[in-house]
Amino acid sequence: MFDALYLEKPEGGFSASRRRLTDDELVAATPDADVTLRIEYSTLNYKDALALTNRSPVVRRWPMVPGIDGAGVVESSASPAFAPGDRVILNGWGVGETHWGCLAQRARLKADWLVAMPDGLDARRAMAIGTAGYTAMLCVMALERRGVSPADGEILVTGAAGGVGSVAIALLARLGHRVVASTGRAAEADYLRALGAAEVIDRATLSAPGKPLQKERWAGVVDAVGSHTLANACAQTKYRGTVAACGLAQGMDFPASVAPFILRGVTLVGVDSVMCPLAERREAWARLAHELDPALLERITTVVGLDDALRLAPQMLAGKVRGRVAVDVNR
Ligand code: NDP
């Protein structure tokens, strides 16, 4: 038996609870899996919060064990790629959406989805980073691929006090960029500066409808917010600058014009962590192991138990959770 969070839709309703499940139930729910993991840590991401509250249709199979991220030890493997005792990380691939996930003490997953734990990380630190931090690194890599360098000018990070934003600031500042953090929480200015932000701006300056072309300011943008914020960020991006879009905390809409793209050669890069190819994941995780200051990571991380994850989910959707939440599934 093992503990897990469990989402059900009994007779059109919805319930999220902590349950004791059997290994037989897990095997029956995951017939196509070839690796069994003892999960040590999972995380609470924005998408997990949506699943735990049933606020948007993240879960597409019922009942579901949520948890899009997991880190732990291989117990058994039918794949030659992994052996018992190996330490691994799982992010995305529909886990916690269509396949039973990692907010549980045990999970059965596909070997093709797993990344070997890089040197320099353990389960706790990997899950302090989680999908949010790994996505922040994918955004940084997207800017680099377009040639954005510290000499080009400032980088805007939106949704700054959230998980993606916090890690993005720490990574970009360490790489030598001048980072400007956009937040709705003025009280978190000191926190954002401690992560490496050179300047903190009020997100209200970006969140309302704006002109198609505005004063050029950003060499690059990491946007976790979408909607008018993303449109304004594009309109303020410098000639040939790059905007990496990964989130929708303000909204999924994109009320913009083509002006920044056709008149300033701005590039808008979409960043997806869920189906990202393994080679890019491995690169992102190897870099995260060495380019994220462990002391800063600790500072942005709150570690909670499985029950707390349920309690925190609505707060995360209300934008009240700061930084990252790692979940100790044995708590
Ligand atoms: P968090 O909840 O930790 O952070 C989101 C932040 O967005 C908040 O902290 C807040 O920052 C800001 N925010 C919240 N509501 C609004 C609003 N109405 N208008 C403007 N800003 C707002 O989430 P994550 O950092 O984990 O994820 C951020 C986004 O990225 C989410 O939309 C998530 O779904 C997406 N995501 C996408 C991935 C991908 O693969 N593309 C992977 C991971 C995440 P502040 O208080 O500083 O203003």
Side-chain angles (χ1 to χ4, degrees), residues 53-67:
T53 55
N54 197 31
R55 281 265 286 276
S56 81
V58 167
V59 175
R60 278 161 285 140
R61 221 190 90 198
W62 302 89
M64 179 55 58
V65 172

Side-chain angles (χ1 to χ4, degrees), residues 6-325:
Y6 196 73
L7 309 180
E8 292 172 283
K9 274 203 163 165
E11 288 167 22
F14 170 76
S15 87
S17 59
R18 183 178 183 148
R19 282 277 188 94
R20 292 286 283 165
L21 298 176
T22 64
D23 288 352
D24 286 348
E25 285 175 288
L26 178 59
V27 170
T30 54
D32 49 352
D34 51 7
V35 178
T36 303
L37 278 192
R38 179 164 50 78
I39 303 290
E40 294 173 325
Y41 285 87
S42 182
T43 77
L44 186 65
N45 291 285
Y46 194 88
K47 191 185 263 181
D48 298 308
L50 289 171
L52 290 172
T53 55
N54 197 31
R55 281 265 286 276
S56 81
V58 167
V59 175
R60 278 161 285 140
R61 221 190 90 198
W62 302 89
M64 179 55 58
V65 172
I68 68 169
D69 284 334
V73 182
V74 173
E75 275 191 347
S76 64
S77 170
S79 159
F82 294 99
D86 286 350
R87 301 194 155 268
V88 294
I89 302 172
L90 176 284
N91 308 107
W93 298 113
V95 173
E97 302 179 54
T98 54
H99 183 102
W100 277 21
C102 301
L103 281 164
Q105 292 168 332
R106 187 163 295 206
R108 280 172 35 86
L109 303 164
K110 288 193 190 176
D112 295 348
W113 296 339
L114 301 173
V115 172
M117 183 76 68
D119 288 342
L121 286 185
D122 57 21
R124 186 184 186 281
R125 275 185 59 204
M127 290 296 98
I129 295 168
T131 281
Y134 142 65
T135 302
M137 180 53 97
L138 293 179
C139 290
V140 170
M141 287 160 55
L143 297 185
E144 288 175 346
R145 266 201 304 276
R146 291 292 305 171
V148 177
S149 80
D152 295 327
E154 299 174 305
I155 309 287
L156 171 68
V157 174
T158 65
V164 173
S166 295
V167 178
I169 292 167
L171 290 170
L172 288 162
R174 194 165 187 274
L175 289 166
H177 294 279
R178 186 175 197 279
V179 182
V180 177
S182 166
T183 185
R185 292 182 264 181
E188 299 296 357
D190 287 346
Y191 163 84
L192 295 168
R193 286 204 178 85
L195 289 180
E199 190 181 331
V200 178
I201 61 172
D202 185 341
R203 78 182 188 202
T205 60
L206 290 162
S207 59
K211 291 185 180 159
L213 283 179
Q214 301 170 33
K215 189 163 182 285
E216 292 178 52
R217 179 159 187 197
W218 319 115
V221 177
V222 173
D223 178 61
V225 168
S227 192
H228 291 295
T229 299
L230 176 58
N232 286 320
C234 291
Q236 295 173 9
T237 295
K238 294 205 303 196
Y239 189 74
R240 290 212 150 202
T242 301
V243 178
C246 72
L248 43 61
Q250 183 180 3
M252 205 193 246
D253 57 332
F254 180 41
S257 85
V258 295
F261 313 117
I262 64 171
L263 298 176
R264 290 184 180 159
V266 167
T267 299
L268 178 58
V269 184
V271 174
D272 166 60
S273 64
V274 179
M275 303 305 287
C276 176
L278 261 184
E280 209 172 312
R281 286 171 191 256
R282 289 197 188 107
E283 183 186 345
W285 277 106
R287 289 187 58 176
L288 284 160
H290 298 291
E291 295 180 26
L292 196 54
D293 177 354
L296 273 189
L297 180 61
E298 197 58 37
R299 188 177 178 136
I300 71 173
T301 305
T302 310
V303 180
V304 302
L306 278 175
D307 294 319
D308 304 309
L310 282 172
R311 185 178 53 76
L312 280 175
Q315 293 180 35
M316 175 166 262
L317 297 182
K320 290 184 179 147
V321 172
R322 183 176 90 175
R324 292 282 305 134
V325 178

